């Protein structure tokens, strides 16, 4: 369960999030929608502990994530919280396979089974041929799929994705959404995705709309 309580965030005196409160139950598949600049990435970055709010709290299963130490947050990221950034954030000096394995290596959970799981995910999103390449040798869509596989690789309890199909064609968008649906239904992962597409949002079971830093429904 994720609870956001009265989140506020400003940049240079301009309020980007205004007292946002919301609750996401375990196993939900939620889509966050809203115009460009409305605060979607800011909100999910705070929910994923990548950005601190000016005030308010985020609780994961009752634990205030901003009360955790850096080590605990780092551990959470490689064991239970998968995050796909809008700009992917692959490590440029590691090849794709090592990028995909990194969270497992850090969590000391990289074994044969984990490698096979990652290879299966890479196969499903058609990036198997890219595993030996550096991120700079990949297209935007391939980087996006690698970032999705990296987030899924740890079998996360919670998956947060910022426009996960923004760089993909329609066929690949469908594959990604089918994979996310499967992970949500079969593994029980909570999925929170930002999207501009009503079709992509429809894969989820609830839409949270945000306008000028406020939830509107
Ligand atoms: N690091 C930052 N410094 C200053 N302003 C920022 C920063 N990050 C975001 N903003 C501003 O906060 C507002 C909300 O940004 P955010 O990235 O959350 O929007 P978004 O809804 O994700 O938009 P998009 O759909 O284009 O990704 C925007 O006006 C943006 O310019
Ligand atoms: Mg954004």
């Amino acid at each position: 369960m994720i609870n956001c309580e009265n989140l506020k965030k400003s940049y240079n005196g301009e309020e980007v999030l205004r007292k946002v409160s919301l609750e996401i139950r375990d196993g939900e598949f939620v889509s966050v929608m809203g115009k460009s600049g409305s605060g979607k990435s800011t909100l999910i970055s705070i929910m994923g502990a990548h950005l601190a709010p000016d005030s308010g709290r985020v609780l994961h299963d009752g634990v205030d994530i901003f009360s955790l130490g850096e080590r605990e947050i780092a551990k959470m990221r490689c064991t239970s919280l998968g995050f796909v950034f809008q700009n992917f954030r692959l490590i440029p000096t590691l090849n794709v396979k090592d990028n995909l394995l990194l969270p497992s290596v850090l969590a000391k959970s990289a074994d044969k089974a984990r490698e096979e799981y990652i290879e299966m995910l890479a196969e499903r999103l058609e990036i198997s041929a890219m595993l030996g390449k550096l991120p700079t040798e990949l297209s935007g869509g391939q980087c996006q799929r690698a970032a999705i596989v990296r987030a899924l690789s740890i079998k996360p309890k919670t998956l947060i994705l910022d426009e996960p199909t923004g760089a993909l064609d329609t066929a690949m968008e469908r594959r990604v959404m089918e994979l996310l649906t499967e992970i949500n239904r079969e593994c029980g992962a909570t999925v929170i995705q930002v999207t501009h597409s009503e079709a992509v949002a429809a894969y989820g079971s609830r839409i949270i709309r945000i306008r000028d830093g406020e939830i509107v429904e």
Side-chain angles (χ1 to χ4, degrees), residues 111-163:
D111 56 12
K112 190 87 197 115
R114 180 56 61 87
E115 257 189 69
E116 282 171 8
Y117 183 61
I118 289 171
E119 280 162 13
M120 183 277 290
L121 293 171
E123 179 94 39
R124 279 193 61 172
L125 299 190
E126 293 182 12
I127 51 165
S128 298
M130 302 293 145
L131 293 178
K133 295 189 189 288
L134 289 171
T136 46
E137 299 176 274
L138 269 55
S139 71
Q142 288 165 340
C143 287
Q144 185 154 49
R145 283 177 271 155
I148 293 168
V149 172
R150 182 176 61 181
L152 291 175
S153 68
I154 58 168
K155 305 190 175 178
K157 178 176 189 290
T158 307
L159 192 53
I160 302 180
L161 313 101
D162 202 345
E163 301 192 31

Side-chain angles (χ1 to χ4, degrees), residues 10-12 14-17 34-43 51 86 162-163 194 196 210:
S10 297
Y11 286 115
N12 312 316
E14 199 148 315
E15 273 197 312
V16 172
L17 290 184
K35 278 191 189 161
S36 179
S38 58
K40 305 180 298 298
S41 293
T42 304
L43 173 62
L51 180 70
Q86 194 162 7
D162 202 345
E163 301 192 31
V194 167
H196 283 285
I210 176 162

Side-chain angles (χ1 to χ4, degrees), residues 9-160:
K9 183 76 184 173
S10 297
Y11 286 115
N12 312 316
E14 199 148 315
E15 273 197 312
V16 172
L17 290 184
R18 309 161 196 258
K19 260 194 139 194
V20 169
S21 295
L22 60 91
E23 181 179 293
I24 295 171
R25 291 179 299 282
D26 284 350
E28 269 202 283
F29 188 153
V30 173
S31 303
V32 179
M33 300 191 79
K35 278 191 189 161
S36 179
S38 58
K40 305 180 298 298
S41 293
T42 304
L43 173 62
I44 62 162
S45 298
I46 292 173
M47 288 169 75
H50 286 286
L51 180 70
D54 297 336
S55 62
R57 298 198 302 169
V58 177
L59 308 177
H60 285 214
D61 296 328
V63 176
D64 179 350
I65 55 173
F66 294 103
S67 72
L68 297 173
E70 258 176 52
R71 286 174 76 96
E72 287 167 298
I73 289 185
K75 186 174 171 208
M76 185 169 83
R77 293 214 178 98
C78 9
T79 57
S80 62
L81 176 65
F83 200 99
V84 176
F85 293 93
Q86 194 162 7
N87 56 1
F88 321 136
R89 295 203 200 170
L90 298 172
I91 313 263
T93 50
L94 295 181
N95 72 23
V96 172
K97 183 160 187 194
D98 289 341
N99 264 282
L100 303 185
L101 270 168
L102 187 60
S104 305
V105 169
L106 293 173
K108 300 189 169 58
S109 55
D111 56 12
K112 190 87 197 115
R114 180 56 61 87
E115 257 189 69
E116 282 171 8
Y117 183 61
I118 289 171
E119 280 162 13
M120 183 277 290
L121 293 171
E123 179 94 39
R124 279 193 61 172
L125 299 190
E126 293 182 12
I127 51 165
S128 298
M130 302 293 145
L131 293 178
K133 295 189 189 288
L134 289 171
T136 46
E137 299 176 274
L138 269 55
S139 71
Q142 288 165 340
C143 287
Q144 185 154 49
R145 283 177 271 155
I148 293 168
V149 172
R150 182 176 61 181
L152 291 175
S153 68
I154 58 168
K155 305 190 175 178
K157 178 176 189 290
T158 307
L159 192 53
I160 302 180

